[in-house]
Amino acid sequence: MSTIQKSGTFTLGSHTVKRLGYGAMQLAGPHVFGPPKDRDAAIAVLREAVASGVNHIDTSDYYGPHVTNQLIREALAPYQQDLVIVTKIGARRGSDGSWLPAYSAKELEQAVHDNLRNLGLEVLDVVNLRIMFGVMGPAEGSIETQLTALAELQRKGLVRHIGLSNVTPAQVEEGRGIAEIVCVQNQYNLAHRDDDGLIDELARAGIAYTPFFPLGGFSPLQSSTLSDVAARLGATPLQVALAWLLRRSPNILLIPGTSSIGHLRENLAAAELELSADVLRELDGVAKAA
């Protein structure tokens, strides 16, 4: 059994994907804006990911903007039949690199067409609607207008499956009453565990949950417990954090990102990391101490 196969599989839309995937965000320039410092290295990372068995790639046309999707197309098209590319819409980039909402039906349709064009696809496998009501994270508010517009694009055949990103449990419930939701993508990690109940609910419904920022993202997780566990296991803190997420629930799909082949291989090796019951209890204490 190859390394990545040890992560297991889960259903995402109409495909079964390996639970350890790849997030393309870091392939763009600094602050996810502009071109990569080394385009050839970015292409090599994408090809290495797929060659290693990754069949779930997360991206968005507002990464760059346009940069990561164009890299994916250059590196991987024509795409393997089992490769699922998940993208996001609902935001755009300002000329200064700022992240701005892009919610109108016209903006959502344009975003879908931008993703199709830059990825070189006729239909998008999965599109996550990114909700931007809150600056620092999910914020309450009806998503009916935006999701209805995306569901119309699905009806037109441009989108196969719909997911939600940066949402509250109430918004997930509202969304499931409007369209079939195949995945939810929110911030979640050892210390940031607001979605514990939501993850369990989605697991019962057979819906995938994709956590981002496994080490805290823009506010890196500082945990002596995590560092100590990693040192004892001969692993990196990120590998331990990823292994914990794989153990947390069978519906969790991981999309760690990197622009380095070496780091990519380290991330994928997290699938082989065994965490004992004692270690899991120790790691669960990180949230209580945060």
Side-chain angles (χ1 to χ4, degrees):
M1 180 182 292
S2 68
T3 293
I4 193 171
Q5 287 178 320
K6 294 180 181 178
S7 68
T9 60
F10 195 77
T11 300
L12 179 58
S14 51
H15 291 268
T16 297
V17 299
K18 300 181 183 74
R19 293 179 60 211
L20 193 44
Y22 174 76
M25 184 174 75
Q26 292 188 35
L27 295 183
H31 309 293
V32 203
F33 197 67
K37 179 173 64 176
D38 187 334
R39 188 179 184 89
D40 289 342
I43 295 291
V45 167
L46 285 163
R47 289 176 176 165
E48 176 74 14
V50 171
S52 299
V54 168
N55 64 351
H56 168 208
I57 293 178
D58 181 84
T59 185
S60 175
D61 209 59
Y62 57 69
Y63 293 164
H66 316 308
V67 170
T68 62
N69 281 353
Q70 291 171 356
L71 287 168
I72 289 168
R73 180 178 185 176
E74 181 179 344
L76 303 177
Y79 301 110
Q80 293 182 184
Q81 189 172 3
D82 71 335
L83 180 64
V84 178
I85 299 176
V86 179
T87 190
K88 286 177 291 299
I89 63 174
R92 63 181 178 85
R93 305 302 295 278
S95 58
D96 59 352
S98 56
W99 303 78
L100 305 170
Y103 280 153
S104 70
K106 182 178 180 180
E107 287 173 314
L108 295 174
E109 183 172 10
Q110 183 61 53
V112 165
H113 283 288
D114 287 344
N115 278 278
L116 287 168
R117 181 182 66 256
N118 286 308
L119 287 168
L121 294 169
E122 295 182 355
V123 58
L124 300 173
D125 281 323
V126 182
V127 174
N128 284 326
L129 176 62
R130 171 83 177 183
I131 301 301
M132 301 275 288
F133 294 163
V135 176
M136 301 303 293
E140 296 294 357
S142 174
I143 63 173
E144 180 179 2
T145 299
Q146 296 88 346
L147 187 53
T148 299
L150 179 53
E152 176 61 18
L153 297 172
Q154 182 185 43
R155 190 191 66 78
K156 291 180 178 179
L158 300 177
V159 174
R160 286 197 179 95
H161 303 288
I162 293 174
L164 297 172
S165 178
N166 200 43
V167 285
T168 68
Q171 288 164 340
V172 173
E173 183 178 1
E174 179 188 28
R176 292 179 66 190
I178 298 168
E180 180 183 2
I181 303 300
V182 302
C183 58
V184 172
Q185 185 181 106
N186 277 359
Q187 181 177 357
Y188 181 83
N189 55 47
L190 274 166
H192 191 283
R193 297 186 58 177
D194 294 349
D195 277 358
D196 270 337
L198 176 61
I199 289 171
D200 295 339
E201 179 183 342
L202 295 175
R204 288 190 290 270
I207 297 172
Y209 182 93
T210 308
F212 57 79
F213 292 162
L215 276 184
F218 301 121
S219 301
L221 172 62
Q222 303 295 324
S223 169
S224 59
T225 298
L226 177 60
S227 298
D228 290 346
V229 168
R232 294 201 311 268
L233 296 177
T236 68
L238 179 55
Q239 285 176 323
V240 174
L242 294 173
W244 178 83
L245 286 165
L246 286 173
R247 290 290 298 272
R248 169 60 184 83
S249 183
N251 66 323
I252 286 182
L253 303 178
L254 303 184
I255 50 167
T258 179
S259 57
S260 158
I261 285 182
H263 288 157
L264 170 70
R265 290 171 178 165
E266 286 182 2
N267 292 344
L268 297 183
E272 296 186 312
L273 194 59
E274 296 290 339
L275 303 180
S276 69
D278 287 343
V279 165
L280 288 171
R281 281 192 293 270
E282 190 175 354
L283 292 173
D284 281 338
V286 171
K288 298 171 186 175

